[in-house]
Amino acid sequence: MQGEQGRLPAGFLCGLAAVPGVGRIVGCIICSMKQYQTIEQTIGGTPLVRLQRIPGQFGQERGNVILAKLEGNNPAGSVKDRAANSMISRAEQRGEIKPGDTLIEATSGNTGIALAMVAAVRGYEMILIMPDNLSLERRAAMTAYGAQLILTPANQGGMEYARDLATSMQAEGKGKVLDQFANPDNTQAHIDTTGPELWRQTDGGITHFVSAMGTTGTIMGVGSYLRSQNPAIQVVGAQPAEGASIPGIRKWPEAYQPKIYHPEQVDAFEYIGQHEAEEMARRLAAEEGIFAGISSAGALVAALRVASRVQNATIAFIICDRGDRYLSTGVFN
């Protein structure tokens, strides 16, 4: 009486039991359980919302619409949930790792939090290496998921130092580095999910895609997919202006350039100052009700600059994470 893979056929027990005065029981535990998702299955499918107030003269007057993809709605709170799930699950499928193994990653925060979540679900030990000048909320989130956190002195090289330490730990046999900076599974996550979502949500009408640039997995993957649907779509990257220190927006030294990054696939760059990104983060919350991180606000600054130059455009940008990850920095005070 069992169906494929040893399970009872759907509906086999439904209605078999009867209660006097009530009649048949219309459902069963087995059938109901099939309808529930795991936490991993809730990654993606994030909303795309129209900004109403901030675009001002660069919006409706010019026929432009500016859309925000709310990646903070992912279960671990950022766009990096997609990449983390992709890197771990695909490596597992290839037989490169198995539950119980130790994984290592250098991170500025969001990737580490996402990896810690997926590692917890799939049964891996997670070691995360992060510069010590990043927010307390990020540290707490990583350890809440059970990850071991190693803090490195920011004044000794920041993320570059953290990446070198991760590589040396792998060489010493302490675990496997997933390496978000060189791992094609990072980019593939956005080719498979984020890009198609944006295309569907705009009914193929998107004309410009804007993203902060850190590991560059998001901008590479989304840009690649969107261009496969319409080569005329413009891809715009937000990078830090001279002297700016914005978590999630980086311009890497040549020796540390992410291997997944292909600069020819980005049509234009907008250089974002720290003060304007922080001010825009406050405006996003106060004027649009979107509580977002600083790199997300930097991407919006870039999107507004694009909107000031074009007409009748549909401009989508990525809200990378939520603002509550930055409360201890004082930026929202």
Side-chain angles (χ1 to χ4, degrees), residues 21-71:
V22 176
R24 286 179 178 270
I25 296 175
V26 179
C28 71
I29 295 174
I30 290 177
C31 296
S32 298
M33 286 177 63
K34 291 185 180 182
Q35 300 175 17
Y36 297 121
Q37 293 182 312
T38 67
I39 193 71
E40 290 173 284
Q41 291 170 329
T42 68
I43 295 172
T46 56
L48 185 69
V49 300
R50 177 176 59 86
L51 298 192
Q52 302 176 77
R53 299 175 63 188
I54 289 178
Q57 62 180 324
F58 303 137
Q60 191 171 4
E61 291 179 21
R62 300 179 66 87
N64 296 327
V65 59
I66 300 180
L67 303 169
K69 183 88 164 129
L70 303 184
E71 290 297 298

CSV table of all heavy atoms in Angstrom, one decimal, residues 21-71:
chain,number,residue,atom,x,y,z
A,21,GLY,N,-21.2,11.2,15.3
A,21,GLY,CA,-21.8,12.6,15.4
A,21,GLY,C,-21.1,13.6,14.6
A,21,GLY,O,-21.6,14.7,14.5
A,22,VAL,N,-20.0,13.3,14.1
A,22,VAL,CA,-19.2,14.3,13.3
A,22,VAL,C,-19.1,13.9,11.9
A,22,VAL,O,-19.1,14.6,10.9
A,22,VAL,CB,-17.8,14.5,13.9
A,22,VAL,CG1,-17.0,15.5,13.1
A,22,VAL,CG2,-17.9,15.0,15.3
A,23,GLY,N,-18.9,12.6,11.6
A,23,GLY,CA,-18.7,12.1,10.3
A,23,GLY,C,-17.2,11.9,10.0
A,23,GLY,O,-16.4,11.8,10.9
A,24,ARG,N,-16.9,11.8,8.8
A,24,ARG,CA,-15.5,11.5,8.4
A,24,ARG,C,-14.6,12.7,8.7
A,24,ARG,O,-15.0,13.9,8.7
A,24,ARG,CB,-15.4,11.3,6.9
A,24,ARG,CG,-15.9,9.9,6.4
A,24,ARG,CD,-15.8,9.8,4.9
A,24,ARG,NE,-16.3,8.5,4.5
A,24,ARG,CZ,-15.5,7.4,4.4
A,24,ARG,NH1,-14.2,7.5,4.7
A,24,ARG,NH2,-16.0,6.3,3.9
A,25,ILE,N,-13.3,12.4,9.1
A,25,ILE,CA,-12.3,13.4,9.3
A,25,ILE,C,-11.8,13.7,7.9
A,25,ILE,O,-11.3,12.9,7.2
A,25,ILE,CB,-11.2,12.9,10.2
A,25,ILE,CG1,-11.8,12.6,11.6
A,25,ILE,CG2,-10.1,13.9,10.3
A,25,ILE,CD1,-10.8,12.0,12.5
A,26,VAL,N,-11.9,15.0,7.5
A,26,VAL,CA,-11.5,15.4,6.2
A,26,VAL,C,-10.0,15.6,6.1
A,26,VAL,O,-9.6,16.1,5.6
A,26,VAL,CB,-12.2,16.6,5.7
A,26,VAL,CG1,-11.8,17.0,4.3
A,26,VAL,CG2,-13.7,16.4,5.8
A,27,GLY,N,-9.1,15.1,6.4
A,27,GLY,CA,-7.7,15.5,6.3
A,27,GLY,C,-6.9,14.5,7.2
A,27,GLY,O,-7.4,13.8,7.9
A,28,CYS,N,-5.6,14.6,7.0
A,28,CYS,CA,-4.7,13.8,7.8
A,28,CYS,C,-3.4,14.5,8.0
A,28,CYS,O,-3.0,15.4,7.3
A,28,CYS,CB,-4.5,12.4,7.2
A,28,CYS,SG,-3.5,12.4,5.7
A,29,ILE,N,-2.7,14.0,9.0
A,29,ILE,CA,-1.4,14.7,9.3
A,29,ILE,C,-0.4,14.5,8.2
A,29,ILE,O,0.3,15.4,7.8
A,29,ILE,CB,-0.8,14.1,10.6
A,29,ILE,CG1,-1.8,14.4,11.8
A,29,ILE,CG2,0.6,14.6,10.9
A,29,ILE,CD1,-1.4,13.8,13.1
A,30,ILE,N,-0.4,13.3,7.6
A,30,ILE,CA,0.6,13.0,6.5
A,30,ILE,C,0.4,14.0,5.4
A,30,ILE,O,1.3,14.6,4.9
A,30,ILE,CB,0.5,11.6,6.1
A,30,ILE,CG1,1.0,10.7,7.2
A,30,ILE,CG2,1.3,11.4,4.8
A,30,ILE,CD1,0.9,9.2,6.9
A,31,CYS,N,-0.9,14.2,4.9
A,31,CYS,CA,-1.1,15.0,3.8
A,31,CYS,C,-0.8,16.5,4.1
A,31,CYS,O,-0.3,17.2,3.3
A,31,CYS,CB,-2.5,14.9,3.3
A,31,CYS,SG,-2.9,13.2,2.7
A,32,SER,N,-1.2,16.9,5.3
A,32,SER,CA,-1.0,18.3,5.7
A,32,SER,C,0.5,18.6,5.8
A,32,SER,O,0.9,19.7,5.4
A,32,SER,CB,-1.6,18.5,7.1
A,32,SER,OG,-3.0,18.3,7.0
A,33,MET,N,1.3,17.7,6.2
A,33,MET,CA,2.8,18.0,6.4
A,33,MET,C,3.4,18.3,5.0
A,33,MET,O,4.4,19.1,5.0
A,33,MET,CB,3.5,16.8,7.0
A,33,MET,CG,3.2,16.6,8.5
A,33,MET,SD,4.0,15.2,9.2
A,33,MET,CE,5.7,15.6,8.9
A,34,LYS,N,2.9,17.8,4.0
A,34,LYS,CA,3.5,18.0,2.6
A,34,LYS,C,3.4,19.5,2.2
A,34,LYS,O,4.0,19.9,1.3
A,34,LYS,CB,2.8,17.1,1.6
A,34,LYS,CG,3.1,15.6,1.8
A,34,LYS,CD,2.5,14.8,0.6
A,34,LYS,CE,2.9,13.4,0.8
A,34,LYS,NZ,2.3,12.6,-0.3
A,35,GLN,N,2.5,20.2,2.8
A,35,GLN,CA,2.3,21.6,2.4
A,35,GLN,C,3.3,22.6,3.1
A,35,GLN,O,3.3,23.7,2.7
A,35,GLN,CB,0.9,22.0,2.8
A,35,GLN,CG,-0.2,21.1,2.1
A,35,GLN,CD,-1.6,21.5,2.5
A,35,GLN,OE1,-1.8,22.5,3.1
A,35,GLN,NE2,-2.5,20.6,2.3
A,36,TYR,N,4.0,22.2,4.1
A,36,TYR,CA,4.9,23.1,4.8
A,36,TYR,C,6.3,23.2,4.2
A,36,TYR,O,6.9,22.2,3.8
A,36,TYR,CB,5.0,22.6,6.3
A,36,TYR,CG,3.7,22.6,7.0
A,36,TYR,CD1,3.2,21.4,7.6
A,36,TYR,CD2,3.0,23.8,7.2
A,36,TYR,CE1,2.0,21.4,8.3
A,36,TYR,CE2,1.8,23.8,7.9
A,36,TYR,CZ,1.3,22.6,8.4
A,36,TYR,OH,0.1,22.6,9.1
A,37,GLN,N,6.8,24.4,4.2
A,37,GLN,CA,8.1,24.6,3.7
A,37,GLN,C,9.2,24.5,4.8
A,37,GLN,O,8.9,24.7,6.0
A,37,GLN,CB,8.2,26.1,3.1
A,37,GLN,CG,7.4,26.3,1.9
A,37,GLN,CD,7.6,27.7,1.3
A,37,GLN,OE1,7.5,28.6,2.1
A,37,GLN,NE2,7.9,27.8,0.0
A,38,THR,N,10.4,24.2,4.4
A,38,THR,CA,11.5,24.4,5.3
A,38,THR,C,12.0,25.8,5.3
A,38,THR,O,11.6,26.6,4.4
A,38,THR,CB,12.7,23.4,5.0
A,38,THR,OG1,13.2,23.8,3.7
A,38,THR,CG2,12.2,22.0,4.9
A,39,ILE,N,12.9,26.2,6.2
A,39,ILE,CA,13.4,27.6,6.2
A,39,ILE,C,14.1,27.9,4.9
A,39,ILE,O,14.0,29.0,4.4
A,39,ILE,CB,14.2,27.9,7.5
A,39,ILE,CG1,14.5,29.4,7.6
A,39,ILE,CG2,15.5,27.1,7.4
A,39,ILE,CD1,13.2,30.1,8.0
A,40,GLU,N,14.9,26.9,4.4
A,40,GLU,CA,15.6,27.1,3.1
A,40,GLU,C,14.7,27.5,2.0
A,40,GLU,O,15.0,28.2,1.1
A,40,GLU,CB,16.5,25.9,2.8
A,40,GLU,CG,17.6,25.7,3.7
A,40,GLU,CD,18.3,24.3,3.4
A,40,GLU,OE1,17.7,23.3,3.7
A,40,GLU,OE2,19.4,24.4,2.8
A,41,GLN,N,13.5,26.8,2.0
A,41,GLN,CA,12.6,27.0,0.9
A,41,GLN,C,11.9,28.4,0.9
A,41,GLN,O,11.2,28.7,-0.1
A,41,GLN,CB,11.6,25.9,0.9
A,41,GLN,CG,12.2,24.5,0.5
A,41,GLN,CD,11.2,23.4,0.8
A,41,GLN,OE1,10.3,23.5,1.7
A,41,GLN,NE2,11.3,22.3,0.0
A,42,THR,N,12.1,29.1,1.9
A,42,THR,CA,11.6,30.5,2.0
A,42,THR,C,12.5,31.5,1.5
A,42,THR,O,12.2,32.7,1.4
A,42,THR,CB,11.1,30.9,3.4
A,42,THR,OG1,12.3,31.0,4.2
A,42,THR,CG2,10.2,29.8,4.0
A,43,ILE,N,13.7,31.1,1.1
A,43,ILE,CA,14.7,32.0,0.5
A,43,ILE,C,14.2,32.5,-0.9
A,43,ILE,O,13.9,31.6,-1.7
A,43,ILE,CB,16.1,31.4,0.4
A,43,ILE,CG1,16.6,31.1,1.8
A,43,ILE,CG2,17.1,32.3,-0.3
A,43,ILE,CD1,17.9,30.3,1.9
A,44,GLY,N,14.3,33.8,-1.2
A,44,GLY,CA,13.9,34.3,-2.5
A,44,GLY,C,12.4,34.6,-2.5
A,44,GLY,O,11.7,34.6,-1.5
A,45,GLY,N,12.0,35.0,-3.7
A,45,GLY,CA,10.6,35.4,-3.8
A,45,GLY,C,10.3,36.7,-3.1
A,45,GLY,O,9.2,36.9,-2.6
A,46,THR,N,11.3,37.6,-3.0
A,46,THR,CA,11.1,38.8,-2.2
A,46,THR,C,10.3,39.9,-3.0
A,46,THR,O,10.3,39.9,-4.2
A,46,THR,CB,12.5,39.4,-1.9
A,46,THR,OG1,13.2,39.6,-3.1
A,46,THR,CG2,13.2,38.4,-1.0
A,47,PRO,N,9.6,40.8,-2.3
A,47,PRO,CA,8.8,41.8,-2.9
A,47,PRO,C,9.6,42.8,-3.7
A,47,PRO,O,10.8,43.1,-3.4
A,47,PRO,CB,8.1,42.5,-1.8
A,47,PRO,CG,8.3,41.6,-0.6
A,47,PRO,CD,9.6,40.8,-0.8
A,48,LEU,N,9.0,43.3,-4.7
A,48,LEU,CA,9.5,44.5,-5.5
A,48,LEU,C,8.5,45.6,-5.3
A,48,LEU,O,7.4,45.5,-5.7
A,48,LEU,CB,9.7,44.1,-7.0
A,48,LEU,CG,10.4,45.2,-7.9
A,48,LEU,CD1,11.8,45.3,-7.5
A,48,LEU,CD2,10.2,44.8,-9.3
A,49,VAL,N,9.0,46.7,-4.7
A,49,VAL,CA,8.1,47.8,-4.4
A,49,VAL,C,8.5,49.1,-5.0
A,49,VAL,O,9.7,49.4,-5.3
A,49,VAL,CB,7.9,48.0,-2.9
A,49,VAL,CG1,7.5,46.7,-2.2
A,49,VAL,CG2,9.3,48.4,-2.3
A,50,ARG,N,7.5,49.9,-5.4
A,50,ARG,CA,7.7,51.2,-6.0
A,50,ARG,C,7.9,52.3,-4.9
A,50,ARG,O,7.2,52.4,-4.0
A,50,ARG,CB,6.5,51.6,-6.9
A,50,ARG,CG,6.6,53.0,-7.5
A,50,ARG,CD,5.4,53.2,-8.4
A,50,ARG,NE,4.1,53.1,-7.7
A,50,ARG,CZ,3.6,54.2,-7.1
A,50,ARG,NH1,4.2,55.4,-7.0
A,50,ARG,NH2,2.4,54.0,-6.5
A,51,LEU,N,9.0,53.1,-5.1
A,51,LEU,CA,9.2,54.2,-4.2
A,51,LEU,C,8.2,55.3,-4.6
A,51,LEU,O,8.0,55.6,-5.8
A,51,LEU,CB,10.7,54.7,-4.4
A,51,LEU,CG,11.8,53.8,-4.0
A,51,LEU,CD1,13.1,54.5,-3.8
A,51,LEU,CD2,11.5,53.0,-2.7
A,52,GLN,N,7.7,56.0,-3.6
A,52,GLN,CA,6.6,57.0,-3.8
A,52,GLN,C,7.1,58.4,-3.6
A,52,GLN,O,6.6,59.3,-4.4
A,52,GLN,CB,5.5,56.7,-2.9
A,52,GLN,CG,4.9,55.3,-3.0
A,52,GLN,CD,3.8,55.0,-2.0
A,52,GLN,OE1,2.7,55.5,-2.1
A,52,GLN,NE2,4.1,54.3,-0.9
A,53,ARG,N,7.9,58.7,-2.7
A,53,ARG,CA,8.3,60.1,-2.3
A,53,ARG,C,9.7,60.5,-2.7
A,53,ARG,O,9.9,61.6,-3.2
A,53,ARG,CB,8.1,60.3,-0.8
A,53,ARG,CG,6.6,60.0,-0.4
A,53,ARG,CD,6.4,60.1,1.1
A,53,ARG,NE,6.8,61.4,1.6
A,53,ARG,CZ,6.9,61.7,2.9
A,53,ARG,NH1,6.7,60.8,3.8
A,53,ARG,NH2,7.1,63.0,3.3
A,54,ILE,N,10.7,59.6,-2.5
A,54,ILE,CA,12.1,60.0,-2.7
A,54,ILE,C,12.4,60.3,-4.1
A,54,ILE,O,13.1,61.3,-4.4
A,54,ILE,CB,13.0,58.9,-2.1
A,54,ILE,CG1,13.0,58.9,-0.6
A,54,ILE,CG2,14.4,59.1,-2.6
A,54,ILE,CD1,13.8,57.9,0.1
A,55,PRO,N,11.8,59.6,-5.1
A,55,PRO,CA,12.2,60.0,-6.5
A,55,PRO,C,12.0,61.4,-6.9
A,55,PRO,O,12.7,62.0,-7.7
A,55,PRO,CB,11.4,59.0,-7.3
A,55,PRO,CG,11.2,57.8,-6.4
A,55,PRO,CD,11.0,58.4,-5.1
A,56,GLY,N,10.9,62.0,-6.4
A,56,GLY,CA,10.6,63.4,-6.6
A,56,GLY,C,10.6,63.8,-8.1
A,56,GLY,O,9.9,63.1,-8.9
A,57,GLN,N,11.3,64.8,-8.5
A,57,GLN,CA,11.3,65.2,-9.9
A,57,GLN,C,11.9,64.2,-10.9
A,57,GLN,O,11.7,64.3,-12.1
A,57,GLN,CB,12.1,66.6,-10.0
A,57,GLN,CG,13.5,66.5,-9.7
A,57,GLN,CD,14.3,67.8,-9.8
A,57,GLN,OE1,14.0,68.6,-10.7
A,57,GLN,NE2,15.2,68.0,-8.9
A,58,PHE,N,12.7,63.3,-10.3
A,58,PHE,CA,13.3,62.3,-11.2
A,58,PHE,C,12.4,61.1,-11.5
A,58,PHE,O,12.8,60.2,-12.2
A,58,PHE,CB,14.6,61.8,-10.6
A,58,PHE,CG,15.6,62.9,-10.4
A,58,PHE,CD1,16.3,63.0,-9.2
A,58,PHE,CD2,15.8,63.9,-11.3
A,58,PHE,CE1,17.2,64.0,-9.0
A,58,PHE,CE2,16.7,65.0,-11.1
A,58,PHE,CZ,17.4,65.0,-9.9
A,59,GLY,N,11.2,61.1,-10.8
A,59,GLY,CA,10.3,60.0,-11.0
A,59,GLY,C,9.2,60.2,-12.0
A,59,GLY,O,9.5,60.2,-13.2
A,60,GLN,N,8.0,60.4,-11.5
A,60,GLN,CA,6.8,60.5,-12.4
A,60,GLN,C,6.9,61.6,-13.4
A,60,GLN,O,6.5,61.4,-14.5
A,60,GLN,CB,5.6,60.7,-11.5
A,60,GLN,CG,4.3,60.5,-12.3
A,60,GLN,CD,3.1,60.5,-11.4
A,60,GLN,OE1,3.2,60.7,-10.2
A,60,GLN,NE2,1.9,60.3,-11.9
A,61,GLU,N,7.5,62.7,-13.0
A,61,GLU,CA,7.6,63.9,-14.0
A,61,GLU,C,8.4,63.5,-15.2
A,61,GLU,O,8.2,64.0,-16.3
A,61,GLU,CB,8.3,65.1,-13.3
A,61,GLU,CG,7.4,65.7,-12.3
A,61,GLU,CD,8.2,66.9,-11.6
A,61,GLU,OE1,9.1,67.4,-12.3
A,61,GLU,OE2,7.8,67.3,-10.5
A,62,ARG,N,9.4,62.6,-15.1
A,62,ARG,CA,10.2,62.1,-16.2
A,62,ARG,C,9.7,60.8,-16.8
A,62,ARG,O,10.4,60.2,-17.6
A,62,ARG,CB,11.6,62.0,-15.8
A,62,ARG,CG,12.2,63.3,-15.3
A,62,ARG,CD,13.7,63.2,-14.9
A,62,ARG,NE,14.5,62.8,-16.0
A,62,ARG,CZ,15.1,63.7,-16.8
A,62,ARG,NH1,14.9,65.0,-16.6
A,62,ARG,NH2,15.9,63.3,-17.8
A,63,GLY,N,8.6,60.3,-16.2
A,63,GLY,CA,8.1,59.0,-16.7
A,63,GLY,C,8.9,57.8,-16.1
A,63,GLY,O,8.8,56.7,-16.7
A,64,ASN,N,9.7,58.0,-15.1
A,64,ASN,CA,10.5,57.0,-14.5
A,64,ASN,C,9.8,56.3,-13.3
A,64,ASN,O,9.1,57.0,-12.6
A,64,ASN,CB,11.8,57.5,-14.0
A,64,ASN,CG,12.7,58.0,-15.2
A,64,ASN,OD1,12.6,57.5,-16.3
A,64,ASN,ND2,13.5,59.1,-14.9
A,65,VAL,N,10.1,55.1,-13.1
A,65,VAL,CA,9.6,54.4,-11.9
A,65,VAL,C,10.9,53.7,-11.3
A,65,VAL,O,11.7,53.2,-12.0
A,65,VAL,CB,8.5,53.3,-12.2
A,65,VAL,CG1,9.0,52.3,-13.2
A,65,VAL,CG2,8.1,52.7,-10.9
A,66,ILE,N,11.0,53.9,-10.0
A,66,ILE,CA,12.2,53.4,-9.2
A,66,ILE,C,11.6,52.3,-8.3
A,66,ILE,O,10.8,52.5,-7.5
A,66,ILE,CB,12.9,54.4,-8.5
A,66,ILE,CG1,13.5,55.5,-9.5
A,66,ILE,CG2,14.1,53.8,-7.7
A,66,ILE,CD1,14.3,56.6,-8.8
A,67,LEU,N,12.2,51.1,-8.4
A,67,LEU,CA,11.7,49.9,-7.7
A,67,LEU,C,12.8,49.4,-6.8
A,67,LEU,O,13.9,49.2,-7.2
A,67,LEU,CB,11.2,48.8,-8.7
A,67,LEU,CG,10.2,49.2,-9.7
A,67,LEU,CD1,10.1,48.2,-10.8
A,67,LEU,CD2,8.8,49.5,-9.1
A,68,ALA,N,12.4,49.0,-5.6
A,68,ALA,CA,13.3,48.4,-4.6
A,68,ALA,C,13.0,46.9,-4.4
A,68,ALA,O,11.8,46.6,-4.1
A,68,ALA,CB,13.2,49.2,-3.3
A,69,LYS,N,14.0,46.1,-4.5
A,69,LYS,CA,13.8,44.6,-4.3
A,69,LYS,C,14.2,44.4,-2.8
A,69,LYS,O,15.4,44.5,-2.5
A,69,LYS,CB,14.7,43.9,-5.3
A,69,LYS,CG,14.6,42.4,-5.2
A,69,LYS,CD,13.6,41.8,-6.1
A,69,LYS,CE,13.7,40.3,-6.3
A,69,LYS,NZ,12.5,39.6,-6.0
A,70,LEU,N,13.2,44.0,-2.0
A,70,LEU,CA,13.4,43.9,-0.6
A,70,LEU,C,14.0,42.6,-0.1
A,70,LEU,O,13.4,41.7,0.4
A,70,LEU,CB,12.1,44.1,0.1
A,70,LEU,CG,11.3,45.4,-0.3
A,70,LEU,CD1,10.0,45.5,0.6
A,70,LEU,CD2,12.2,46.6,0.0
A,71,GLU,N,15.4,42.5,-0.3
A,71,GLU,CA,16.1,41.3,0.1
A,71,GLU,C,16.2,41.1,1.6
A,71,GLU,O,16.5,40.0,2.0
A,71,GLU,CB,17.5,41.3,-0.6
A,71,GLU,CG,17.4,41.1,-2.1
A,71,GLU,CD,16.8,39.8,-2.5
A,71,GLU,OE1,17.4,38.7,-2.2
A,71,GLU,OE2,15.7,39.8,-3.1
